[in-house]
Amino acid sequence: MSVNDNDFTARPKRRRTGEVSRRVVLASAVSLGGTAVANALPALVPDKKARHTARAKETNAQIDVEILRKQIKGRTLTQSDADFNSALMDGFFNRLLPTDRKPQILVQVQDEDDVCRAVTFAKENKLKVVVRGGGHNWCNPALRHGGLMIDLHNLNKVISVDPASRKAVLQPIISNRDVQRLLNPLGLAYPSGHCPQVKLSGYLLSGGMSWNQGVWGPGTASVEAIEIVTPDGKLITASDTENQDYFWAARGAGSGFFGVAVRYHLKLYPLPKHIAGSSYYYNLDDAVTLAEWLGKLAPQLPPQVELSLWLVNAPPEIAAKTKLPGGKAALVTATTFADSEEEARKATAPLDQCPIIEKCLSKTVNEHVNFERLFDISGSLWPVDRRNAVEAMFSNSKPADLFRAVAGHYRDAPSHEGLIMYAFFTGPQTANANVTNAAFSTQAHLYGGPWTLWKDAADDEANLRWHRKCVEILRPFTFRHYVGETDTVHYPSHVKHAYSEETFKRIEQLRKKYDPTGVFFNYSDGLS
């Protein structure tokens, strides 16, 4: 049986519905998780903005955009088009958007051939290229000063699914939720990200912090080949056996990748027969005790258990039981991917042996769930139409020390929607231990950080000040940043800190080798 060339959404709804990867949280009954980052740079002062606009108009006057319009099947827009701004901005998940970073040309490609022609046009006209996939990266690195943006939102088709060989070929703009909706009825699953709206594009290019990561590994570990448009405008296939340098870089280089990924060849897995979620609410004052206990417990739990500790604003029925105004609480969650209810119950039984279990305010133990339910819960924790600042990181510090440092700061958070989460990797492995031949290779025992969310622009200053202070508090406990969910705009040094020195050096060497004239924006070009 195979599924061929299915278009999930002929034209995805782009208004504030972008979709990403995160590591686990289940505030009502399950452990979900997450990963990403956002922070706004100050707008350019008026005279700089005016000079930038003048330069863009002058450059556009020298470029015959009509040539590109005639060459491609999709739409080509410039800043003089009436709907340019809406076409550019409506697809981004984070509503904390910069207003001064815009491309000169926006190309909404229709297929892979359009991508090749757009890259070739950009190279011939000395325009730098940036790619927008799902628009969920918190700091919006797809928005640059000038150049040509390739918008992939129409590349949303299922090319094939083969249940017998457990293989799939998908275009990049298919969401985590839709991947599981496609596969689960066939008895299959894929290590997708946790947030329902996130698309394959940025998720896999950044590495992909996945569901059931202890067993399946991160998303990129199950990518067997990638079809890529190179800086020369050529379509190639990269894998372990051909174009190996591109394959290595595409699995982890994130927004700094020097190509356009247009198709992913994925390895699939049998759908777990029983998925269960557990949650235990405690007072915020108990966070350090819980962190110390979980740090010791995590290596003893089987790797199919996703274990996380959260600092959250509790739901109303729990908030009334907490000591603090506003209902701030500590939450332990576990999601178990098992073959039976008995296996799930046995795997998470130690959670009921917590040394302060008598202080538990509320608990849900091994509630039977499916991926659809997991995505509903995750979506409620990271809702659309919010302004966001995020910093996801890896840590090898003692969990108790980390939570001791940050719990008090969370108590003073100005928003009632933000959270701090750290996932404890269970079993003998560290995060990403089973990743080979990929730029994404950081190994650590903890993954997480602050996700600061708020609604109103009037609250920007207070929330950004709190968030940046939180990042500084956590800096001594940070081993590496996660390139898919770190604020590479406000903190450019976090790019380098997302990789080992050797890995980052190789990324830059490969960029010089395969993109010597700089067709693609690198990590920092066009941001300041």
Side-chain angles (χ1 to χ4, degrees):
M1 175 183 178
S2 66
V3 182
N4 295 296
D5 212 30
N6 290 324
D7 188 337
F8 264 113
T9 49
R11 175 69 160 87
K13 293 181 180 178
R14 300 187 50 76
R15 169 71 62 175
R16 302 175 184 174
T17 56
E19 306 203 12
V20 171
S21 135
R22 209 165 329 297
R23 164 98 192 149
V24 230
V25 73
L26 228 175
S28 35
V30 192
S31 143
L32 296 168
T35 83
V37 188
N39 248 320
L41 283 177
L44 295 176
V45 292
D47 59 326
K48 287 186 178 180
K49 292 177 71 174
R51 287 200 298 272
H52 173 69
T53 302
R55 283 198 301 271
K57 290 180 178 179
E58 180 182 352
T59 303
N60 284 339
Q62 301 168 0
I63 297 172
D64 190 349
V65 179
E66 291 305 315
I67 293 176
L68 182 59
R69 287 196 172 108
K70 293 175 182 177
Q71 288 178 338
I72 69 170
K73 295 177 280 296
R75 295 181 71 209
T76 299
L77 301 169
T78 67
Q79 293 186 12
S80 61
D81 289 304
D83 59 343
F84 176 85
N85 284 335
S86 60
L88 176 67
M89 294 296 192
D90 284 355
F92 289 97
F93 182 84
N94 188 0
R95 303 319 299 166
L96 183 65
L97 287 164
T99 58
D100 62 316
R101 303 198 316 257
K102 297 180 181 180
Q104 294 160 234
I105 301 172
L106 170 63
V107 183
Q108 296 177 330
V109 296
Q110 197 67 38
D111 56 21
E112 290 87 350
D113 187 57
D114 276 2
V115 178
C116 294
R117 292 181 184 277
V119 172
T120 300
F121 178 86
K123 183 176 183 179
E124 290 173 347
N125 288 276
K126 295 181 172 56
L127 286 167
K128 297 186 82 65
V129 172
V130 69
V131 182
R132 180 168 76 183
H136 204 298
N137 190 306
W138 308 92
C139 63
N140 304 310
L143 291 172
R144 307 287 180 123
H145 292 295
L148 183 149
M149 175 191 283
I150 296 177
D151 183 342
L152 301 179
H153 77 261
N154 289 318
L155 272 62
N156 55 13
K157 297 178 179 62
V158 177
I159 306 304
S160 65
V161 177
D162 185 351
S165 63
R166 297 209 292 261
K167 309 286 185 186
V169 182
L170 308 178
Q171 288 187 321
I173 311 303
I174 298 176
S175 72
N176 288 326
R177 189 192 288 270
D178 280 337
V179 168
Q180 301 295 1
R181 279 178 174 172
L182 168 72
L183 299 177
N184 294 172
L186 303 175
L188 298 171
Y190 179 75
S192 67
H194 296 75
C195 200
Q197 313 97 336
V198 172
K199 309 300 191 294
L200 287 175
S201 55
Y203 168 70
L204 290 176
L205 287 175
S206 297
M209 305 300 290
S210 75
W211 286 114
N212 201 19
Q213 187 160 324
V215 177
W216 292 336
T220 200
S222 295
V223 175
E224 297 187 327
I226 309 174
E227 295 179 45
I228 296 168
V229 177
T230 70
D232 293 323
K234 307 298 184 184
L235 181 62
I236 65 170
T237 298
S239 68
D240 273 329
T241 58
E242 54 184 332
N243 298 303
Q244 292 96 329
D245 286 344
Y246 274 101
F247 188 56
W248 180 89
R251 299 195 305 153
S255 62
F257 180 56
F258 41 88
V260 187
V262 293
R263 290 189 183 188
Y264 291 99
H265 296 244
L266 306 179
K267 175 183 177 181
L268 309 178
Y269 299 86
L271 177 67
K273 294 182 176 64
H274 187 84
I275 305 175
S278 300
S279 62
Y280 297 77
Y281 280 96
Y282 294 85
N283 273 296
L284 184 65
D285 292 344
D286 296 321
V288 175
T289 300
L290 293 168
E292 184 173 15
W293 170 64
L294 292 174
K296 297 174 182 176
L297 177 65
Q300 303 172 33
L301 296 180
Q304 63 264 38
V305 177
E306 290 194 3
L307 180 68
S308 300
L309 177 59
W310 308 76
L311 306 183
V312 298
N313 287 278
E317 64 274 16
I318 309 299
K321 301 178 183 180
T322 62
K323 295 179 180 179
L324 297 174
K328 288 183 170 63
L331 170 65
V332 177
T333 61
T335 304
T336 307
F337 297 85
D339 286 331
S340 67
E341 183 177 356
E342 181 182 359
E343 180 187 349
R345 191 184 310 114
K346 181 179 179 181
T348 56
L351 293 177
D352 268 327
Q353 305 305 312
C354 175
I356 56 170
I357 191 65
E358 75 283 354
K359 299 175 71 175
C360 182
L361 303 176
S362 174
K363 67 178 182 178
T364 302
V365 180
N366 286 321
E367 177 188 18
H368 181 51
V369 295
N370 55 21
F371 274 108
E372 193 72 10
R373 172 63 175 151
L374 292 178
F375 286 133
D376 286 345
I377 297 166
S378 179
S380 70
L381 290 162
W382 287 279
V384 299
D385 294 327
R386 296 297 188 272
R387 306 167 81 80
N388 297 267
V390 179
E391 191 63 44
M393 59 196 73
F394 297 97
S395 178
N396 285 317
S397 298
K398 293 181 179 179
D401 292 343
L402 188 157
F403 277 88
R404 184 178 292 108
V406 80
H409 186 62
Y410 182 73
R411 188 191 304 261
D412 300 326
S415 171
H416 291 290
E417 294 190 281
L419 56 88
I420 295 175
M421 183 280 296
Y422 277 88
F424 293 65
F425 289 94
T426 54
Q429 294 184 341
T430 56
N432 314 320
N434 48 6
V435 181
T436 59
N437 191 30
F440 182 57
S441 54
T442 294
Q443 297 189 25
H445 293 287
L446 297 173
Y447 167 79
W451 280 262
T452 307
L453 300 83
W454 66 100
K455 293 181 181 178
D456 299 325
D459 298 326
D460 284 357
E461 183 179 352
N463 281 283
L464 289 172
R465 187 188 311 115
W466 181 90
H467 180 83
R468 290 169 181 165
K469 175 64 175 177
C470 191
V471 172
E472 294 309 311
I473 290 172
L474 290 167
R475 196 171 296 283
F477 307 97
T478 303
F479 172 54
R480 296 249 166 82
H481 296 274
Y482 176 47
V483 73
E485 296 188 277
T486 182
D487 187 354
T488 56
V489 175
H490 192 74
Y491 301 102
S493 63
H494 287 190
V495 171
K496 207 170 181 181
H497 199 216
Y499 306 97
S500 68
E501 183 176 348
E502 180 182 356
T503 297
F504 186 75
K505 182 178 179 181
R506 186 180 178 191
I507 292 173
E508 295 306 297
Q509 287 174 338
L510 293 179
R511 184 193 315 283
K512 291 178 182 177
K513 178 179 179 180
Y514 294 103
D515 189 13
T517 61
V519 173
F520 286 90
F521 281 100
N522 64 20
Y523 291 106
S524 58
D525 288 343
L527 289 176
S528 62

